[in-house]
Amino acid sequence: MTEGCESRWVEPGPARAPRISYRLNDAAALLAEPGTLAVFGFGHAASDPDDPRWLRVPLEALDAPAPLEAWQVDDAVQHGRDGALRWSAGGGWLFAAVELDEREHGGPAGAAREAYAQLRDFIRGRAEHRVLRIWNYQAAINAGHGDAERYKLFCDGRAEGCGDWFADGYPAATAIGHHGDPHLLQIYLLAGPHAGTAVENPRQVSAWRYPRQYGRTSPGFARAMTLPAGDALAISGTAAVVGHASAHEGDLAAQLQEILVNLEALLASAGMPAGFDTHAPLKAYVRHPADAPRVRELLQQRLPGVPVLLLQGDVCRSELLVELDGWRYA
């Protein structure tokens, strides 16, 4: 007698984290590799392949030759465009990017509002609707005074464009000032079908709880995000902030040391072992290019063998000289 059985569909578990690496390859060769979700070039020296998976980030690299950043996944990748938005998807992961001219949207607040509304509407129609990590690059981020500072206006517009998008929790994020096209706002993200786990730093006030002195609208991001499979930590832009205050004004070495303490606190909060290794790519955003050799030297001393991409970028507070973000794999 044959025993009956019931066929059941089982939802697949979270996919393995994308592999993020810095490569000295040609962009076209990287895009041709199986499973390439996105490739990023930096500054004016970067080429511009006609592929939605390619993005030229308007931050000048402070090392030569400048590597490219590659995101790769374990499956075939589809890609396309939707108006100003470009996207690619595969292996349970989605890359999406928007670039807008602020002049066409009434300035930094209007451009941020429109960019986030476009991303929100696109993502909500996808299986990969859980946003885990976002990067924001804005020109002249510290220009303006008080509530009219450009970064604060960006925060206002971002909140309006998001609406209730992140009511269940913010993704990890970076916001850095670039020195490219003065009207360009560039935003890109990584999303998937499963939620990650937001990680906060016990040494810092959560960004969305900042006091009024930092603007009408608090920045909306988590300090880090453990990806759904628990195999990687996406680390937000991390500066020399203790509590909610900037530390060590004017002292580059002390700021960098404070950042490294904050990074270790994040690893501990995420339940990860201390330290970074050769598979943990980091970016260092350096306000003054003349500081790059010192930043490079200090990081080589403290993080030997760790791949670090040095970029010229302005931290969102004018008194901060350097910021780090990146990835830590379990």
Side-chain angles (χ1 to χ4, degrees), residues 17 25 29 64 92 99-100 104 123 132-133 146 155 181 267 279-280 284 326:
N25 297 63
E99 295 181 304
L100 296 181
E104 298 175 2
I123 294 290
L132 302 164
R133 184 67 168 87
C155 289
D181 180 339
L267 293 181
H279 303 291

Side-chain angles (χ1 to χ4, degrees), residues 121-194:
D121 293 345
F122 178 77
I123 294 290
R124 281 180 169 168
R126 301 281 313 186
E128 310 93 337
H129 65 286
R130 300 279 193 170
V131 179
L132 302 164
R133 184 67 168 87
I134 298 182
W135 292 258
N136 307 275
Y137 297 126
Q138 175 191 27
I141 197 168
N142 304 127
H145 300 284
D147 286 344
E149 184 189 43
R150 284 174 51 79
Y151 175 62
K152 292 174 183 174
L153 294 173
F154 164 83
C155 289
D156 292 342
R158 172 172 57 182
E160 292 173 8
C162 286
D164 64 353
W165 191 13
F166 299 131
D168 294 334
Y170 293 108
T174 294
I176 288 289
H178 69 76
H179 292 262
D181 180 339
H183 310 293
L184 174 67
L185 174 65
Q186 181 185 80
I187 302 171
Y188 61 93
L189 59 79
L190 175 70
H194 300 279

Side-chain angles (χ1 to χ4, degrees), residues 269-296:
S269 292
M272 284 192 159
F276 293 82
D277 58 24
T278 57
H279 303 291
L282 301 177
K283 290 190 183 78
Y285 304 98
V286 183
R287 181 178 294 277
H288 303 301
D291 287 338
R294 182 62 173 149
V295 172
R296 186 184 301 110

Side-chain angles (χ1 to χ4, degrees), residues 24-314:
L24 288 171
N25 297 63
D26 174 74
L30 279 177
L31 290 165
E33 290 185 10
T36 296
L37 188 70
V39 177
F40 305 87
F42 299 91
H44 295 294
S47 59
D48 279 310
D50 185 18
D51 189 307
R53 298 171 296 163
W54 165 261
L55 192 65
R56 185 173 71 83
V57 175
L59 300 175
E60 293 296 329
L62 298 173
D63 285 314
L68 303 178
E69 179 179 348
W71 294 3
Q72 293 176 309
V73 299
D74 295 325
D75 205 346
V77 172
Q78 298 179 319
H79 52 79
R81 300 180 190 271
D82 186 347
L85 187 147
R86 66 184 73 190
W87 63 272
S88 62
W93 297 102
L94 173 73
F95 157 74
V98 170
E99 295 181 304
L100 296 181
D101 186 324
E102 290 183 355
R103 294 171 296 184
E104 298 175 2
H105 302 281
R113 179 171 58 248
E114 176 63 20
Y116 269 84
Q118 287 189 25
L119 288 165
R120 178 198 66 207
D121 293 345
F122 178 77
I123 294 290
R124 281 180 169 168
R126 301 281 313 186
E128 310 93 337
H129 65 286
R130 300 279 193 170
V131 179
L132 302 164
R133 184 67 168 87
I134 298 182
W135 292 258
N136 307 275
Y137 297 126
Q138 175 191 27
I141 197 168
N142 304 127
H145 300 284
D147 286 344
E149 184 189 43
R150 284 174 51 79
Y151 175 62
K152 292 174 183 174
L153 294 173
F154 164 83
C155 289
D156 292 342
R158 172 172 57 182
E160 292 173 8
C162 286
D164 64 353
W165 191 13
F166 299 131
D168 294 334
Y170 293 108
T174 294
I176 288 289
H178 69 76
H179 292 262
D181 180 339
H183 310 293
L184 174 67
L185 174 65
Q186 181 185 80
I187 302 171
Y188 61 93
L189 59 79
L190 175 70
H194 300 279
T197 302
V199 178
E200 292 299 310
N201 183 346
R203 304 183 77 242
Q204 297 177 318
V205 174
S206 295
W208 64 89
R209 292 176 174 158
Y210 278 175
R212 176 63 176 84
Q213 72 194 75
Y214 298 105
R216 288 180 296 253
T217 308
S218 295
F221 67 95
R223 298 292 180 185
M225 179 70 69
T226 302
L227 296 196
D231 56 347
L233 184 70
I235 300 170
S236 296
T238 303
V241 173
V242 180
H244 60 73
S246 301
H248 315 296
E249 184 170 352
D251 189 332
L252 177 70
Q255 286 191 19
L256 196 54
Q257 170 61 23
E258 199 72 66
I259 290 170
L260 296 176
V261 174
N262 278 330
L263 291 180
E264 289 298 333
L266 278 173
L267 293 181
S269 292
M272 284 192 159
F276 293 82
D277 58 24
T278 57
H279 303 291
L282 301 177
K283 290 190 183 78
Y285 304 98
V286 183
R287 181 178 294 277
H288 303 301
D291 287 338
R294 182 62 173 149
V295 172
R296 186 184 301 110
E297 176 189 18
L298 291 169
L299 290 176
Q300 286 173 348
Q301 291 172 1
R302 293 296 309 275
L303 302 174
V306 175
V308 179
L309 180 59
L310 266 65
L311 301 169
Q312 182 185 5
D314 296 339

Side-chain angles (χ1 to χ4, degrees), residues 309-323:
L309 180 59
L310 266 65
L311 301 169
Q312 182 185 5
D314 296 339
V315 186
C316 63
R317 298 185 188 181
S318 59
E319 67 273 15
L320 296 174
L321 302 174
V322 62
E323 179 169 303

